[in-house]
Amino acid sequence: ADGGQILSGSRALKRSDPGLSQDVWDQATVPLSVPANGIIFAYVFIAPENLPQSIMLQFYKSGWLHRAVWGNYEVIPWGAANTAERVAMGPLPESGKWIRLEVDIQKIGLHPGDLLTGFATTQFGGTVYWDKVGVTGTSDPTHDPQRSFAVWWKQTAGKDTPGLPADVTAIAKAGPDSNPDAKAREQLLAYYVRAVCVDTLPKFADLNSELTRLQTERNAIDNAIPSTFIYRDIAQPRESFVMLRGQYDKPGDKVEPEVPAILPSLKKGDAQLRATRLDLAQWLVSPEHPLTARVAVNRLWQQFFGTGFVKSSGDFGTQGELPSHPELLDWMAVHFRESGWDVKALVRMIVTSATFRQSSRVTSELYARDPENRLLARGSRLRLDAEQIRDNALFVSGLINLEIGGKGVKPYQPPNIWEPVGFVGSNTQFYKQDMGSALYRRSLYAFYKRTAPPPFMVNFDAPNREQSCTRRERSNTPLQALQLMNDVQHIEAARELARRMLTEGGESAAERIAFAYKAVLARKPDTQELELLNEQLGKHLARYQQSPDDATKLITQGQSKAPAELAAPELAAYTLVASTILNLDETLTRN
């Protein structure tokens, strides 16, 4: 209010409002210390022509928990009723003149030494002027903890004082009678001068403000760093017992961590203590351990040959199968361990071996002798895994996004698969397909909802991840053929491969078909294949020249755009040829 109702100076605070409103000041860099025998006061002028229903004073200590109300007690509902959070002070002050409001600090839950950093003037309706908010009281430096270091330290003894830095917490709690050394006392005194003493606080206001800002900035950086839980052994491990007949209240013999007696003994880091998880980890990779390296080698061999040396790769026990090549398995396991568990080197050794590079061709005699190829007399034939089939199509088409790391992506998927099994309010209740380059990331990054996994993975026998899977089964179903011929991702990949055939493959149809064979199968087509595909191309081209709308529908599948400079009928015809090549048994099978 300037030129209106003013108690002192040149301005006062005026607010006129039909409902609940307030003015807040909470920017104190130096808090107001509540004195002994404190009385908080404020001056108020209520316009007689527009009376409020209620007015309120609020004060901030560690929250807005200290309020005094004049007038209608219920109309401003903030704070718990009949507590220091909302204290009834009586009727509205007289209107038409300045009235001094006074509140005893204890009545609203404040005590000497409390630090106030904000206040608010609140009203419900009416026109109200406010001026001169303050506090009166007495201060005896010899007994005031905010002016006497000795008094403050004595008060903190034996207590946990909120806000104290870690380096002085123990000193303050020990109290002055603990006779700390001079350095410790200086640390505590420095904190008191900087953060407690009301006479020195103003001199540190800017520094404290900057410190708060930097701490907030540091905390924000810390919170932005991803973290995860880790295991840590407790200092004193709990005792464990064999429970008699499984009853929790009938402990039998005391037991400690150990391994089955049939396996090599567990070596402890400290013979006087019980075994730890580190001891177990070192035991697992020790030279004496018979299983870890063998199981790892067998799993990798299985990945490249379809079947491991031990066919039951998840069971090396008495119920599992015996290895087909026990000496080779032993040698590779020892080599793997002595190489420092170098997986990359082991993979290189497998894929460059003469065994892996054999032809898959088989004679009827050899097939009769060894139908499952357990003796490895020929190269293994196995259908690619679900991820490999999709990634291969994306790679040869040029669509693939090889970015490493990041969150899971949501590629093309038929509608309404998540919704029937989605919980209300869940962040996976609805499937929202990604757009742009995320659609073409490797299948490794496909988001996996266990109750509704991606159909392109399930159709090709990918596990549902609800339990451990040591070996994938391989099936052949009509759904697989339907997916490879009609799925949006595969049609889009075929169109992009067709684009490459037209722009990179040469001028003639034969050259373009040969280009696709080289990109997909790493070989040239034979005469019969070239003749069949050339005939197919001619039929498709004739059809789409007569039905250009059908051609447009085909080449507009997917989010990526077909090049405008290529004629739709020609691109569509080559798309179907490319789809045929991507659907060949040789494309989908590792020979």
Side-chain angles (χ1 to χ4, degrees), residues 19-238:
L20 181 59
S21 59
Q22 69 174 350
D23 292 280
V24 179
W25 186 82
D26 57 357
Q27 306 299 317
T29 55
V30 179
L32 173 67
S33 177
V34 176
N37 304 314
I39 299 293
I40 294 176
F41 66 88
Y43 287 86
V44 65
F45 183 99
I46 297 176
E49 70 278 6
N50 189 17
L51 298 177
Q53 293 187 47
S54 179
I55 63 173
M56 173 188 284
L57 278 173
Q58 302 183 72
F59 300 93
Y60 188 93
K61 186 177 73 171
S62 56
W64 294 101
L65 303 175
H66 313 279
R67 301 179 179 89
V69 183
W70 290 263
N72 188 334
Y73 180 74
E74 302 294 341
V75 75
I76 303 178
W78 297 338
N82 303 315
T83 69
E85 295 182 19
R86 180 160 43 119
V87 177
M89 300 299 294
L92 279 175
E94 184 180 352
S95 65
K97 64 179 182 180
W98 283 102
I99 301 294
R100 178 184 171 103
L101 305 176
E102 292 187 348
V103 183
D104 189 306
I105 60 169
Q106 295 185 350
K107 198 165 189 178
I108 57 173
L110 295 172
H111 304 89
D114 286 344
L115 300 178
L116 303 182
T117 56
F119 71 90
T121 57
T122 310
Q123 66 193 69
F124 194 100
T127 299
V128 183
Y129 299 82
W130 297 90
D131 205 347
K132 243 181 160 180
V133 179
V135 63
T136 63
T138 59
S139 177
D140 180 1
T142 61
H143 294 87
D144 188 348
Q146 291 183 304
R147 289 189 167 179
S148 169
F149 173 61
V151 173
W152 175 81
W153 196 3
K154 191 173 183 179
Q155 285 188 355
T156 61
K159 303 176 183 176
D160 292 320
T161 305
L164 278 180
D167 57 343
V168 297
T169 298
I171 306 169
K173 190 173 183 178
D177 296 336
S178 63
N179 295 319
D181 57 42
K183 184 178 180 181
R185 189 179 186 283
E186 287 176 6
Q187 283 181 305
L188 188 61
L189 178 60
Y191 169 77
Y192 175 82
V193 171
R194 175 180 62 82
V196 180
C197 181
V198 294
D199 296 319
T200 55
L201 265 177
K203 297 178 182 179
F204 292 92
D206 292 340
L207 290 175
N208 285 334
S209 178
E210 178 67 8
L211 178 62
T212 301
R213 185 189 69 79
L214 292 173
Q215 287 173 336
T216 302
E217 185 177 328
R218 183 187 64 186
N219 291 338
I221 294 173
D222 288 342
N223 292 335
I225 299 173
S227 60
T228 187
F229 291 106
I230 63 171
Y231 283 105
R232 180 173 61 85
D233 291 325
I234 59 177
Q236 182 61 43
R238 299 181 183 89

Side-chain angles (χ1 to χ4, degrees), residues 232-374:
R232 180 173 61 85
D233 291 325
I234 59 177
Q236 182 61 43
R238 299 181 183 89
E239 293 184 337
S240 298
F241 302 87
V242 175
M243 298 302 175
L244 301 180
R245 300 184 63 82
Q247 292 184 232
Y248 71 92
D249 58 347
K250 289 187 177 181
D253 295 338
K254 181 180 176 181
V255 292
E256 291 194 355
E258 251 301 346
V259 296
I262 194 174
L263 296 173
S265 61
L266 179 66
K267 296 178 181 179
K268 297 190 288 186
D270 188 332
Q272 304 303 316
L273 301 176
R274 61 188 285 168
T276 65
R277 289 181 296 110
L278 178 59
D279 295 329
L280 177 62
Q282 291 173 337
W283 173 80
L284 284 169
V285 295
S286 65
E288 298 80 15
H289 198 288
L291 287 176
T292 307
R294 287 173 174 80
V295 170
V297 166
N298 194 66
R299 293 279 181 91
L300 284 169
W301 190 270
Q302 172 183 271
Q303 186 170 341
F304 290 103
F305 289 88
T307 304
F309 294 117
V310 178
K311 188 174 183 180
S312 56
S313 55
D315 187 353
F316 270 51
T318 57
Q319 301 299 311
E321 293 196 15
L322 293 174
S324 58
H325 300 72
E327 295 87 355
L328 179 57
L329 175 61
D330 286 349
W331 180 85
M332 291 185 67
V334 172
H335 178 79
F336 182 44
R337 177 175 52 77
E338 291 181 348
S339 72
W341 307 88
D342 191 335
V343 175
K344 187 175 182 179
L346 180 62
V347 168
R348 179 185 292 275
M349 181 173 67
I350 292 174
V351 299
T352 57
S353 67
T355 304
F356 181 79
R357 291 182 294 157
Q358 291 182 106
S359 170
S360 298
R361 294 183 183 277
V362 58
T363 64
S364 56
E365 180 185 357
L366 184 58
Y367 184 81
R369 289 179 58 192
D370 185 17
E372 294 187 14
N373 195 30
R374 299 290 285 133

Side-chain angles (χ1 to χ4, degrees), residues 410 418-419 421-432 447 449 451:
K410 301 181 180 68
W418 278 16
E419 287 73 8
V421 295
F423 291 104
V424 176
S426 167
N427 61 355
T428 61
Q429 183 181 2
F430 302 103
Y431 188 84
K432 185 178 180 181
F447 188 94
K449 180 171 180 173
T451 55

